[in-house]
Amino acid sequence: MDTVPLWTLNKGQRAAIRGFSDVLPDSYRQRLTEMGFHGGEIVTCLLRPAFGAPRVYRVSNTVYSLDEDVAANVMMQPLEAGA
Amino acid sequence: MNRRVMLVGSPNCGKTLLFNRLTGLKQKVANFPGITIELAHGPMPAIPGVTLTDYPGSYSLRALSADETVAVEQFHAGLDSPDVSHVVCVIDVTRMEKSLYLTLQVIRHARRKGKHVIVVANMMDVLDAHNVELDLEGLAGELDAEMIPLSARTGQGMADLLACLREDPPRQPPEPAPEIEINPDLLIQQQAHRLAGKYGPRGDMLVRSQNRMDAFFLHSWFGGLAFFAIMYLLFQSIFTGAAPIMDVVEGGLGTVAGWLVPLIGPGLVADFTSDAIFSGVGAFLVFVPQIFMLTLIVGLLEDSGYMARAALICHRPLRFFGLTGKSFIPMLSGVACAIPGVYAARAIDSPRRRRLTYMAIPLMPCSARLPVYALLIAAFIPQTTAMAGLVGMQGLAMFALYFFGLLAGLVVAGIASRRDAKSDSDVPFILEMPAYRMPALMPLIQKSAHRCMHFITKAGGVILSVTVVVWILGYFPNGGADLGSSWLAGIGRVIEPVFAPMGLDWRYGVAILTSFLAREVFVGTLGTIFGIEFAEQNMVPLVERIHASGMELASGFALLVFFSVALMCVSTMVILARESGSWKLPAKMFAVYGVAGYVGAIIVYQGISFLSA
């Protein structure tokens, strides 16, 4: 199935992490992984504030806010509702 | 024999709150990541001879920035030290995923140095409140480490931790490192992920209420309105909330002066007590309750978890000025005092954005400016209210001044950012959103009182010294009979031409000159000068004396502009030099902000004078 950037998820949508795009610096890949953004982990988009503000995502029991520079480089496989 | 205990953990896991409980110290605690920025040491009163060291929170032992590299090096140096008996690793049991990677790394490195590790499972009160039970024994078994369930917030489990720390365990032989280790970090990462999945809380019960509150506070429209309402209430309450305490302080000082000065009898000592102590230092003390109120409300915001939301809301607008959402927290800290603001900027990953934040912080309206603002507002803005008493004109003026400071900081950062235009891609924004918590009021009141005492002792010494010098120069050679022919007036008239374009005479010129040591000295110096000049009036509020001095409204506004912009704090410059690695940045800022403040003040004075002519 095609992957989409994390930034494009709609509010309430869930998706599984498939990897990071090559343009994301290693340091940020490392930090994201330490924070729980592992391959296969389920991420839920909690909020998409207006005006391009950073979006809010839940990973496990932790909530993070990521701006487009990062979230556009985390590749996700969207899950069907209820999956 | 004295020994040491190392305290480590991931950001915002409650480590510093535990440190304060164990040591009785008052390290800064707040509900957002990255608060501990350097090592803190403190003796543990419950275990004599043991010192606890708090390390900055980290997600792992693989450093990404220069500051993290220093913290990791300090951690390894601690493990090498023979006097370290225990390593206490704090995990947030409500968010295990982010804690276990570091924990596994710490256990691995500590064992190789023969150190005893205790894992503290913190935030048990949150689990209890949600009736969530975890198999912590199972987790301890898999980690092969001693585990203490605990709540640093309520104190639950503290006795168990102290009992463990009381024992000085026999030094274990260092565990040898395997000869070949293929990608240990990846293996540890996988293990942490597996353990968090197996033992961590399931479902979204723990974040459900947080999500509901975020839906409001981060809402596209309501969130912005709430942000402005919170900021407005913050500055309005500096006046309305602090007013009764200020009245008590002012009344108390007047009563003591009215009783003490006649008791001393007429003469030099009585004049000094009345002019320098009560009119000079006393004028400054009256404003301390406002500093208390400001610190208390900023503390409430920090403790509640709102600050991280405010950082998110501000990220996009701040990026326009070359800053990041993470600049908001140092900038708001700068509202209390620029120095903690400069330290807090260490949490900004990008060196360039950090430098821009340094440039903005000294323009934030810090608590040292507060006495000057409050004095001039009280002198020139009527004490009227509008909208059924909801909007006070003086509070509104204070809000406007704070907004002006913020805007000035943003404009400076924006200009500097465009002059040094590089790719904006160096500001990826990843911020952990902490859970909302009910702030603990008593520790915050204690912290605010502590901050006020620190302010009084730090600024008080400078103010007293300057006041004594100003009083001597103003009192002699004619025994206070005529301020106009005193030594001070002689000096003042030399510098008077510099301040004349702002409509200020030599008395205000001297007060401005002394305030380059610290801004709040302005109030004390002015109090002393007017104390000598109006010696026959006992303890008249300084505001009335400013009115009597004939100062114009235009000069009042010019002074406000000057104090809003000029960098007049030696301590801030020293810290800026230390943090930025050279004196170049603070020296430039001193010159540019000083000239900009002076020119701006002249423009404001001349403009208002022209319009009102």
Side-chain angles (χ1 to χ4, degrees):
Chain A
M1 192 186 274
D2 286 344
T3 57
V4 296
L6 176 60
W7 185 252
T8 61
L9 294 191
N10 293 317
K11 184 181 170 185
Q13 195 179 358
R14 298 166 75 237
I17 298 173
R18 284 290 166 256
F20 303 108
S21 80
D22 292 341
V23 294
L24 193 70
D26 279 346
S27 56
Y28 281 92
R29 269 180 219 217
Q30 183 194 319
R31 186 47 38 94
L32 283 168
T33 314
E34 289 164 8
M35 287 172 151
F37 288 79
H38 300 273
E41 187 66 51
I42 309 294
V43 179
T44 309
C45 175
L46 297 176
L47 283 168
R48 283 170 60 110
F51 311 118
R55 293 178 183 169
V56 182
Y57 301 98
R58 182 186 152 213
V59 184
S60 184
N61 265 314
T62 310
V63 179
Y64 294 102
S65 106
L66 271 60
D67 75 355
E68 190 176 358
D69 290 339
V70 180
N73 292 302
V74 183
M75 304 316 291
M76 311 295 298
Q77 185 176 323
L79 301 176
E80 300 294 322
Chain B
M1 180 195 143
N2 285 347
R3 57 190 173 93
R4 236 165 25 98
V5 172
M6 295 167 67
L7 186 62
V8 296
S10 58
N12 209 34
C13 66
K15 190 169 48 65
T16 304
L17 192 59
L18 179 62
F19 175 83
N20 286 349
R21 269 202 182 269
L22 289 168
T23 60
L25 297 178
K26 293 181 176 64
Q27 279 293 310
K28 183 174 167 112
V29 180
N31 186 13
F32 56 81
I35 276 298
T36 308
I37 44 172
E38 52 189 11
L39 262 59
H41 308 275
M44 293 172 61
I47 315 174
V50 174
T51 301
L52 189 64
T53 303
D54 185 17
Y55 285 75
S58 173
Y59 289 104
S60 80
L61 292 177
R62 286 178 68 192
L64 296 188
S65 66
D67 297 330
E68 284 183 10
T69 304
V70 173
V72 170
E73 281 172 2
Q74 285 170 329
F75 170 79
H76 286 298
L79 286 185
D80 285 331
S81 168
D83 56 353
V84 168
S85 62
H86 295 81
V87 179
V88 175
C89 185
V90 183
I91 62 170
D92 173 354
V93 279
T94 66
R95 300 167 178 222
M96 274 197 196
E97 184 80 45
K98 66 156 191 169
S99 295
L100 284 176
Y101 179 47
L102 174 76
T103 306
L104 287 163
Q105 284 183 315
V106 167
I107 290 173
R108 175 169 163 263
H109 285 279
R111 291 224 171 104
R112 289 198 182 152
K113 300 290 177 184
K115 303 295 182 195
H116 187 78
V117 181
I118 299 172
V119 178
V120 165
N122 193 20
M123 314 261 183
M124 291 302 292
D125 55 319
V126 180
L127 291 188
D128 292 345
H130 289 86
N131 291 319
V132 175
E133 282 188 19
L134 300 179
D135 178 14
L136 292 177
E137 280 182 22
L139 177 61
E142 294 224 29
L143 292 174
D144 192 19
E146 195 167 3
M147 183 171 289
I148 312 280
L150 182 143
S151 165
R153 202 170 162 77
T154 64
Q156 166 200 346
M158 290 297 290
D160 296 336
L161 177 60
L162 284 170
C164 287
L165 293 178
R166 258 188 208 106
E167 290 169 22
D168 187 359
R171 301 294 185 262
Q172 297 157 354
E175 210 171 75
E179 280 181 23
I180 302 169
E181 223 177 355
I182 302 163
N183 210 342
D185 286 322
L186 182 65
L187 289 175
I188 289 176
Q189 228 162 49
Q190 287 167 348
Q191 196 188 353
H193 187 49
R194 183 183 67 78
L195 292 176
K198 188 173 173 186
Y199 295 102
R202 291 172 196 285
D204 64 350
M205 192 190 287
L206 296 176
V207 289
R208 225 177 275 161
S209 62
Q210 177 180 341
N211 294 348
R212 275 197 297 269
M213 291 180 77
D214 276 342
F216 175 76
F217 283 114
L218 297 176
H219 187 273
S220 301
W221 298 108
F222 300 130
L225 287 175
F227 174 79
F228 277 106
I230 289 169
M231 291 302 127
Y232 176 72
L233 284 175
L234 164 68
F235 300 119
Q236 187 71 41
S237 59
I238 292 171
F239 262 97
T240 49
I245 320 173
M246 289 174 76
D247 289 344
V248 169
V249 174
E250 194 162 18
L253 282 168
T255 308
V256 175
W259 168 78
L260 188 66
V261 174
L263 214 65
I264 297 170
L268 186 89
V269 179
D271 287 346
F272 174 79
T273 310
S274 174
D275 305 339
I277 303 297
F278 286 103
S279 295
V281 180
F284 154 75
L285 289 178
V286 168
F287 297 102
V288 171
Q290 291 184 322
I291 293 163
F292 177 84
M293 194 55 72
L294 177 72
T295 316
L296 181 67
I297 298 173
V298 170
L300 284 171
L301 291 176
E302 287 178 346
D303 224 21
S304 66
Y306 182 73
M307 285 296 219
R309 277 77 193 177
L312 188 151
I313 289 171
C314 292
H315 178 67
R316 198 73 190 179
L318 288 178
R319 270 194 72 161
F320 179 77
F321 296 99
L323 300 165
T324 150
K326 290 184 183 177
S327 304
F328 176 77
I329 293 162
M331 284 165 75
L332 194 66
S333 298
V335 167
C337 177
I339 293 167
V342 172
Y343 281 131
R346 283 188 190 178
I348 299 169
D349 321 280
S350 155
R352 180 167 170 258
R353 311 289 155 178
R354 199 184 310 154
R355 189 180 160 84
L356 292 171
T357 309
Y358 287 152
M359 294 165 94
I361 291 170
L363 290 161
M364 295 301 106
C366 66
S367 49
R369 285 182 170 107
L370 193 55
V372 182
Y373 288 174
L375 179 70
L376 294 170
I377 287 174
F380 293 106
I381 307 292
Q383 213 172 350
T384 50
T385 57
M387 293 171 67
L390 279 177
V391 178
M393 287 303 132
Q394 293 190 337
L396 198 63
M398 184 62 90
F399 181 68
L401 275 171
Y402 275 68
F403 187 75
F404 175 75
L406 177 70
L407 195 67
L410 293 178
V411 169
V412 165
I415 293 169
S417 149
R418 275 153 186 78
R419 280 189 58 185
D420 175 28
K422 280 185 189 171
S423 162
D424 270 358
S425 61
D426 63 340
V427 276
F429 183 85
I430 311 172
L431 185 64
E432 184 188 331
M433 308 301 278
Y436 288 98
R437 285 181 208 147
M438 185 58 79
L441 198 59
M442 272 320 286
L444 282 176
I445 290 174
Q446 283 174 353
K447 182 178 133 188
S448 305
H450 182 254
R451 166 99 195 110
C452 287
M453 279 313 294
H454 176 74
F455 193 73
I456 292 170
T457 47
K458 184 180 141 252
V462 180
I463 289 173
L464 184 63
S465 317
V466 173
T467 300
V468 169
V469 173
V470 168
W471 183 82
I472 292 169
L473 291 172
Y475 193 79
F476 294 103
N478 49 35
D482 176 24
L483 181 70
S485 58
S486 66
W487 293 331
L488 191 67
I491 298 168
R493 290 205 177 92
V494 173
I495 58 165
E496 194 171 49
V498 178
F499 300 100
M502 292 157 64
L504 299 170
D505 64 29
W506 70 267
R507 294 169 299 183
Y508 292 96
V510 168
I512 292 172
L513 202 65
T514 57
S515 66
F516 272 92
L517 285 169
R519 293 179 184 95
E520 55 273 41
V521 174
F522 176 82
V523 177
T525 305
L526 217 53
T528 307
I529 291 174
F530 288 138
I532 298 169
E533 187 166 9
F534 304 106
E536 69 285 355
Q537 303 164 354
N538 201 17
M539 280 311 287
V540 170
L542 190 52
V543 171
E544 290 180 27
R545 286 176 170 169
I546 288 176
H547 284 151
S549 75
M551 186 191 198
E552 295 170 66
L553 176 78
S555 298
F557 277 88
L559 262 180
L560 284 173
V561 169
F562 181 75
F563 274 97
S564 298
V565 179
L567 175 50
M568 305 156 85
C569 179
V570 177
S571 315
T572 302
M573 290 180 62
V574 170
I575 300 300
L576 271 171
R578 208 168 74 183
E579 291 293 298
S580 66
S582 90
W583 271 94
K584 208 172 150 188
L585 181 68
K588 264 189 191 172
M589 285 163 67
F590 177 78
V592 173
Y593 294 179
V595 171
Y598 180 67
V599 172
I602 292 173
I603 292 170
V604 165
Y605 174 75
Q606 300 294 345
I608 295 177
S609 301
F610 177 75
L611 291 172
S612 57

